[in-house]
Amino acid sequence: MIESSRFVNGCLAPSIPCVTEGDIEVAERILGLRFDEPRRSILRSNESFDVQACPGSGKTTLLVAKLAILARKWPHVCRGMCVISHTNVARREIETKLAGTGVDQRLLNYPHFVGTIHGFVNQFLALSFLRSEGYLVEMIDDDAHGDFSARLLHTHNAYATARNFLSRKEANTPDRTIRGLRYEGPSLTLSSAAGALPCGPDSASYRILAEIKRTVVAKGIWRFDDMFAWAEKLLAEFPQVCELVRWRFPAVFLDESQDTSELQAGLLEKVFPASACELRQRFGDSNQAIYDTGQAEASTDRFPAHGFRSVTDSQRFGSSIARLANPVAPAPPEPELCGNGPRPLS
């Protein structure tokens, strides 16, 4: 069912509900806290911007408050809010805090999505396309993929040549190359999380690695990064999918945005660019960025973008720690970091 535009009193109603002061007061009572004016301004706004929040500033609580308010007023049956985190830990924190608001079951079910970036890519982009192309999907797991690939390298006589060849050609060990073997980009070319592959697709080593990869995926075993490659291929062949996904999710929230890798940022920028979303708000702290081995920091649609909002008062530490931390931060907070917490430096 496709939803038509909503009219209230003869006027076209906005897709995303407005947050009022009354809504914020209800959220404060439920959460047992008070929001200051900078935070209230973020809650009220339906503009797209980034929120740069310092440690201990209640960033996740602020996001949960906004989600809870919008969930209670959400007018759509087939369109939802999309809440993307970068780790299962961050996702569980959001879900746990939502449970205390009374809207968790409403928000954690259709038409909304609350999950990791990998879960979003799998569910809405990669898996349906991959299966439509006739591929088997038994599991998506880097370790299982790596273990199976390594067994091929070490136990099949047919791969003795591969072991010897890669030992001579690879800067990394053959095991590391095989364990990191993944697809990349819409052309599904091979790369490795352990480093660059030797030579190009016409080389003997590439053909050997491609045969190993084909054997693994025939068993339905994939790496997480493979799903991003399939998603990229989908968007390259059917760019209208981006518009459909944006229609499906008029409100998009991204948590822990400082941990977005370039691989993730490139895809998210295609699907949810700020300029094309009805509402996109990203939350994070660029001074707390953590990347897995082999990940590159995002250069596409970097966080925080120009015009970001700052939340720089922390309840985690006191003023003396704030004075020490402010000048050594990779990106000094603006305005200056303020410590309102219980643990002053003695």
Side-chain angles (χ1 to χ4, degrees):
M1 180 180 71
I2 300 298
E3 295 177 353
S4 59
S5 300
R6 297 183 308 115
F7 284 86
V8 177
N9 296 326
C11 298
L12 184 65
S15 296
I16 301 164
C18 296
V19 176
T20 67
E21 286 295 324
D23 296 327
I24 296 173
E25 290 169 4
V26 171
E28 288 177 328
R29 287 197 296 271
I30 293 172
L31 295 170
L33 49 75
R34 293 284 296 174
F35 292 113
D36 59 11
E37 180 50 35
R39 290 172 173 82
R40 297 174 89 87
S41 176
I42 292 169
L43 291 173
R44 288 192 302 265
S45 179
N46 277 351
E47 298 176 359
S48 294
F49 52 75
D50 293 342
V51 178
Q52 168 86 326
C54 71
S57 60
K59 167 182 63 65
T60 302
T61 301
L62 183 64
L63 173 57
V64 165
K66 182 143 192 172
L67 295 174
I69 292 170
L70 291 177
R72 282 191 168 84
K73 306 177 74 171
W74 196 253
H76 306 291
V77 176
C78 299
R79 307 177 73 189
M81 288 182 278
C82 183
V83 185
I84 296 177
S85 62
H86 288 274
T87 64
N88 281 313
V89 172
R91 173 187 58 80
R92 285 192 292 268
E93 183 181 3
I94 291 173
E95 291 177 353
T96 299
K97 288 181 179 292
L98 279 172
T101 67
V103 301
D104 53 320
Q105 291 308 308
R106 192 181 316 176
L107 193 56
L108 297 178
N109 289 295
Y110 181 89
H112 307 293
F113 173 83
V114 179
T116 64
I117 175 65
H118 295 94
F120 172 81
V121 168
N122 292 350
Q123 182 174 341
F124 295 101
L125 299 175
L127 287 181
S128 58
F129 183 51
L130 193 154
R131 287 172 174 140
S132 74
E133 294 289 302
Y135 285 92
L136 177 67
V137 182
E138 290 291 342
M139 68 176 70
I140 305 169
D141 185 276
D142 287 2
D143 290 336
H145 181 285
D147 290 343
F148 192 82
S149 299
R151 286 199 299 273
L152 288 177
L153 186 67
H154 286 283
T155 62
H156 289 218
N157 290 333
Y159 294 110
T161 302
R163 292 199 302 273
N164 294 331
F165 191 89
L166 291 172
S167 295
R168 297 195 306 271
K169 295 291 186 180
E170 283 288 290
N172 297 289
T173 66
D175 273 1
R176 287 195 65 208
T177 298
I178 291 295
R179 287 185 175 278
L181 200 59
R182 65 192 184 190
Y183 285 130
E184 182 176 289
S187 62
L188 299 182
T189 55
L190 281 180
S191 66
S192 176
L197 295 180
C199 305
D202 295 328
S203 67
S205 61
Y206 191 97
R207 289 194 295 271
I208 292 168
L209 294 172
E211 178 58 30
I212 293 174
K213 182 69 174 181
R214 282 193 293 269
T215 303
V216 178
V217 300
K219 296 291 185 181
I221 306 173
W222 302 85
R223 285 178 58 86
F224 291 111
D225 285 356
D226 290 334
M227 298 301 104
F228 281 85
W230 276 99
E232 291 276 5
K233 183 175 177 62
L234 170 68
L235 299 183
E237 295 186 13
F238 304 99
Q240 65 270 29
V241 168
C242 292
E243 295 181 13
L244 295 173
V245 174
R246 286 195 290 270
W247 182 92
R248 173 73 166 75
F249 295 113
V252 182
F253 299 93
L254 297 105
D255 190 29
E256 303 295 349
S257 293
Q258 76 279 353
D259 292 333
T260 307
S261 69
E262 176 57 23
L263 177 67
Q264 297 165 349
L267 185 64
L268 287 173
E269 201 275 334
K270 290 185 178 70
V271 180
F272 293 128
S275 59
C277 292
E278 293 186 50
L279 169 63
R280 189 196 77 168
Q281 293 180 356
R282 301 188 297 180
F283 293 72
D285 179 5
S286 58
N287 289 313
Q288 297 188 73
I290 300 174
Y291 300 100
D292 293 333
T293 302
Q295 285 188 327
E297 179 183 359
S299 57
T300 301
D301 199 11
R302 296 188 63 168
F303 176 88
H306 177 73
F308 65 89
R309 309 278 186 94
S310 290
V311 181
T312 59
D313 57 307
S314 174
Q315 304 300 317
R316 188 174 298 170
F317 45 76
S319 57
S320 54
I321 291 178
R323 284 195 298 272
L324 291 172
N326 195 77
V328 298
E334 296 179 7
E336 191 171 281
L337 184 64
C338 176
N340 296 324
R343 298 194 295 273
L345 183 66
S346 58

